[in-house]
């Protein structure tokens, strides 16, 4: 693709002023936090949403699962590629933020299932590129060892969102305020933040990757020669096709990419189910604890934020000695956390139905569960960004997210089907939810843990960079990828169709 690209110098160490890095991190954090907010509202106000929109459990599963997951996963690819292709990551992020903010407002104005479903699908369009674009920008704003902490700051938005939503849930319950108002308010704030992102965040120069290729020092061969160059804005379809092909071949060649992606997907599946269903389950388990959601949110916000920042900080501190700490933290931390999750779910049984003792056990084990499990988001996503080709890392991150979203969005979908024809708030609903959570969350964490540990030697080999050389042929790896993609697509379609069918 030499006629469709031109050499663009990469930097080995970004020279961005500290004040601009700080401002950019704050704005990227706010935008990412707000983009996740609708998920927290649906989680904390699950029963109210179901009642006010006349939904059932399967309907709620559609809203929290593949309804946005499919759109999110698929549209992340073209929008991320457009951002790399035009070198306009900030502009694409701004337009996306404006769109999801409007869709958040429309969700708040919804009066039935189909209205909120369309609004959530629309919001998925705007949310699709936010994470990939944010991580991509951060990976070029600061030196490699600091990228891990910078991305961890971004992912604090996940936990702050839980904390804020918990406080809002308590305040709204006490004032008898509708859940709709929270979504409308967040949409309005999102519009303002989008404008600030465009004004203050600047497009940084691309930083070299951890894997030597092209500008990084490895001789360029065959189709992979194009990924070390920035694609010029050329409407020629052949040019676009070749550059997409080069990026796809790069990730196909990587020995670790498949296993890392699948492991992260199962880790996210456990966390996604936890986030959507745990607040409602605990509220029904401890109905006399009026401040439970508030304290739940505080634990998530404080302990989760400390944990994710600790993961980024530890990775930065040992950076010169090893690049693999994020994988160890994720694997071992998730396995340990699964034990504390089970203790949370059965806290009332452990306390012999004593509500006060059960709550004490719940808060303690929940704190430990978050402390051990949440070190991973910023560190692992930063590692992936730095393993990808500099000029197409946003597109590569979107591919990384695509498989994850399609897999982890199945969690709420499966749980919604399991709770089919069971009235929310009943003892039967509570028992079914407990069993489902006790299976899905630990299994997700353990599959992820084993996968990340098995991926460690593969990442070591990838860091050597030898996989970028030579011509790519139809090997078992490519055939396995195609087969896996077909199976995954069939499962996604089947789950979505079944959930829609049972909704009726």
């Amino acid at each position: 693709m030499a006629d469709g690209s031109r050499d663009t110098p990469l930097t080995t160490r970004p020279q961005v002023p500290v004040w601009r890095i700080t401002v950019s991190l704050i704005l990227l954090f706010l935008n990412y936090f707000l983009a996740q907010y609708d998920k927290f509202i649906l989680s904390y106000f699950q029963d109210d949403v179901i009642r006010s929109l006349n939904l059932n459990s399967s309907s709620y599963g559609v809203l929290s699962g593949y309804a946005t997951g499919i759109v999110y996963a698929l549209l992340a690819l073209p929008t991320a590629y457009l951002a790399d292709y035009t070198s306009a990551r900030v502009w694409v992020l701004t337009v996306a933020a404006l769109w999801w903010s409007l869709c958040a407002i429309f969700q708040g104005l919804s009066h039935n299932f189909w209205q909120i479903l369309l609004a959530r699908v629309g919001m998925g369009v705007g949310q699709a590129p936010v994470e990939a674009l944010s991580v991509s920008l951060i990976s070029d704003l600061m030196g490699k060892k600091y990228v891990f902490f910078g991305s961890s700051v971004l992912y604090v938005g996940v936990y702050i969102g839980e904390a804020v939503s918990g406080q809002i849930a308590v305040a709204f319950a006490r004032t008898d305020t509708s859940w709709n108002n929270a979504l409308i308010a967040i949409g309005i704030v999102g519009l303002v933040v989008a404008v600030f992102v465009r004004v203050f965040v600047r497009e940084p120069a691309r930083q070299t990757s951890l894997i030597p290729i092209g500008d990084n020092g490895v001789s360029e061969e065959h189709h992979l020669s194009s990924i070390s160059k920035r694609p010029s804005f050329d409407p020629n379809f052949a040019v676009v096709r070749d550059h997409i092909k080069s990026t796809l071949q790069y990730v196909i060649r990587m020995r670790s990419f498949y296993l890392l992606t699948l492991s992260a997907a199962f880790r996210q599946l456990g966390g996604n189910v936890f986030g959507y269903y745990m607040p409602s389950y605990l509220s029904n388990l401890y109905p006399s604890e009026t401040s439970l959601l508030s304290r739940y949110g505080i634990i998530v916000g404080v302990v989760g934020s400390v944990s994710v920042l600790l993961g980024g900080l530890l990775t930065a501190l040992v950076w010169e000695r090893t690049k693999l700490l994020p994988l160890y933290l994720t694997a071992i931390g998730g396995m340990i956390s699964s034990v504390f999750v089970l203790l949370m779910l059965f806290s009332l049984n452990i306390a012999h139905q004593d509500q006060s003792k059960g709550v004490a056990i719940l808060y303690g084990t929940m704190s430990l569960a978050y402390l051990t499990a949440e070190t991973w988001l910023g560190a692992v996503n930063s590692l992936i960004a730095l393993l990808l080709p500099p000029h197409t890392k946003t597109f590569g991150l979107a591919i990384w997210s695509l498989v994850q979203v399609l897999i982890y969005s199945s969690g709420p979908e499966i749980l919604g089907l399991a709770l089919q024809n069971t009235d929310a708030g009943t003892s039967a609903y509570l028992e079914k939810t407990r069993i489902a959570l006790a299976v899905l969350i630990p299994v997700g964490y353990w599959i992820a843990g084993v996968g990340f540990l098995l991926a460690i030697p593969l990442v070591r080999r990838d860091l050597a960079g030898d996989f970028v050389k030579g011509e790519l042929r139809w090997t078992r790896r490519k055939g396995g990828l195609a087969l896996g993609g077909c199976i995954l697509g069939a499962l996604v379609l089947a789950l979505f169709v079944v959930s829609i069918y049972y909704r009726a």
Side-chain angles (χ1 to χ4, degrees):
M1 201 186 83
D3 61 337
S5 20
R6 64 174 179 272
D7 289 315
T8 303
L10 300 174
T11 179
T12 56
R13 184 176 180 84
Q15 301 298 318
V16 182
V18 175
W19 72 267
R20 187 172 292 282
I21 293 176
T22 303
V23 172
S24 298
L25 275 179
I26 292 172
L27 289 173
L28 291 174
F29 159 78
L30 287 174
N31 183 58
Y32 182 69
F33 154 63
L34 294 171
Q36 307 295 310
Y37 192 81
D38 67 317
K39 178 182 72 174
F40 303 131
I41 293 299
L42 286 180
S43 173
Y44 277 94
F45 295 96
Q46 177 184 346
D47 293 341
D48 291 338
V49 171
I50 289 175
R51 283 194 297 269
S52 63
L53 297 179
N54 194 27
L55 307 178
N56 56 33
S57 297
S58 294
S59 301
Y60 179 82
V62 172
L63 294 179
S64 56
Y66 285 172
T68 53
I70 291 177
V71 174
Y72 186 106
L74 296 178
L75 288 183
L77 292 177
T79 50
Y81 182 77
L82 178 65
D84 282 335
Y85 187 63
T86 60
S87 287
R89 290 176 289 181
V90 177
W91 264 114
V92 174
L93 183 62
T94 301
V95 173
L98 291 172
W99 179 253
W100 70 249
S101 298
L102 290 173
C103 290
I105 294 173
F106 292 146
Q107 282 189 74
L109 298 174
S110 300
H111 296 289
N112 56 52
F113 170 78
W114 291 108
Q115 287 178 358
I116 194 170
L117 175 63
L118 291 175
R120 283 191 58 72
V121 169
M123 189 160 183
V125 175
Q127 289 175 327
V130 170
E131 183 176 7
L133 283 166
S134 299
V135 174
S136 178
L137 286 167
I138 290 172
S139 70
D140 291 326
L141 281 170
M142 58 195 74
K144 291 183 180 66
K145 67 180 295 183
Y146 304 107
V147 169
F148 297 91
F149 187 75
S151 292
S152 296
V153 171
L154 174 76
Y155 285 106
V156 166
V158 174
Y159 310 102
I160 294 298
E162 288 272 14
V164 172
S165 297
Q167 303 307 312
I168 291 176
V170 173
F172 278 20
R174 291 174 177 172
T175 59
D176 198 27
T177 305
S178 170
W179 59 272
N180 307 70
N181 293 335
L183 285 171
I184 294 173
I186 213 66
I188 294 172
V189 176
L191 293 173
V192 176
V193 171
V195 175
F196 277 92
V197 167
R198 183 63 201 95
V199 172
F200 292 105
V201 180
R202 295 288 182 267
E203 185 76 28
R206 301 277 178 152
Q207 181 172 199
T208 55
S209 70
L210 291 174
I211 296 176
I213 175 174
D215 289 359
N216 292 3
V218 167
S219 60
E220 302 169 352
E221 302 184 33
H222 303 286
H223 297 295
L224 290 186
S225 62
S226 64
I227 61 176
S228 64
K229 305 174 182 178
R230 183 183 72 83
S232 59
F233 189 77
D234 190 333
N236 188 325
F237 175 75
V239 172
V240 175
R241 179 199 61 201
D242 288 347
H243 206 269
I244 291 176
K245 182 179 179 181
S246 296
T247 307
L248 290 175
Q249 287 184 344
Y250 182 96
V251 299
I252 290 172
R253 287 171 179 263
M254 287 181 67
R255 301 176 182 88
S256 61
F257 192 81
Y258 313 99
L259 192 52
L260 287 174
T261 304
L262 289 174
S263 301
F266 279 100
R267 175 59 184 80
Q268 291 273 37
L269 185 148
N272 202 35
V273 170
F274 192 114
Y276 271 113
Y277 282 92
M278 190 65 79
S280 176
Y281 166 77
L282 294 177
S283 295
N284 290 323
L285 186 65
Y286 295 101
S288 61
E289 293 294 323
T290 57
S291 60
L292 187 143
L293 287 181
S294 175
R295 293 177 181 176
Y296 176 97
I298 292 173
I299 291 174
V300 173
V302 175
V303 180
S305 297
V306 169
S307 182
V308 72
L309 290 174
L310 185 62
L313 182 60
L314 289 174
T315 303
L317 289 175
V318 303
W319 176 250
E320 303 299 333
R321 298 176 58 187
T322 178
K323 310 293 189 291
L324 303 174
L325 183 62
L327 305 183
Y328 286 108
L329 289 175
T330 308
I332 299 173
M335 291 175 175
I336 295 173
S337 178
S338 65
V339 177
F340 296 120
V341 170
L342 291 174
L343 293 175
M344 285 177 60
L345 291 169
F346 294 94
S347 56
L348 190 59
N349 300 74
I350 295 172
H352 303 290
Q353 306 304 315
D354 186 320
Q355 291 265 326
S356 59
K357 291 182 179 179
V359 167
I361 294 172
L362 169 66
Y363 293 151
T365 54
M366 181 179 173
S367 298
L368 292 172
Y370 267 88
L371 185 63
T372 52
E374 303 306 319
T375 56
W376 78 289
L377 271 177
V380 169
N381 282 283
S382 295
L383 180 62
I384 297 301
L386 293 174
L387 289 173
L388 293 169
H391 290 305
T392 56
K393 69 174 72 178
T394 315
F395 183 53
L397 285 167
I399 297 172
W400 155 260
S401 298
L402 169 64
V403 177
Q404 290 186 57
V405 172
L406 291 178
I407 292 176
Y408 77 66
S409 294
S410 66
E413 204 79 11
I414 293 170
L415 204 49
L417 292 173
L419 297 173
Q420 176 74 18
N421 299 324
T422 306
D423 295 330
T426 63
S427 58
Y429 184 90
L430 186 68
E431 184 62 24
K432 283 187 176 181
T433 303
R434 174 166 45 223
I435 294 172
L437 293 177
V439 172
L440 288 175
I441 298 174
V443 168
Y445 283 12
W446 273 83
I447 291 176
V450 173
F452 278 117
L453 290 176
L454 292 176
I456 288 173
L458 301 179
V459 175
R460 284 199 182 100
R461 295 178 63 189
D462 283 341
L463 286 170
D466 63 306
F467 71 89
V468 302
K469 299 180 181 180
E471 186 175 0
L472 180 67
R473 295 182 174 88
W474 277 101
T475 60
R476 283 185 296 177
R477 188 182 300 176
K478 289 185 67 176
L481 178 67
L483 178 61
C486 292
I487 294 174
L488 178 60
L491 290 175
V492 168
L493 182 61
L495 265 178
F496 185 69
V497 171
V498 169
S499 65
I500 291 293
Y501 173 78
Y502 278 110
R503 181 204 165 272

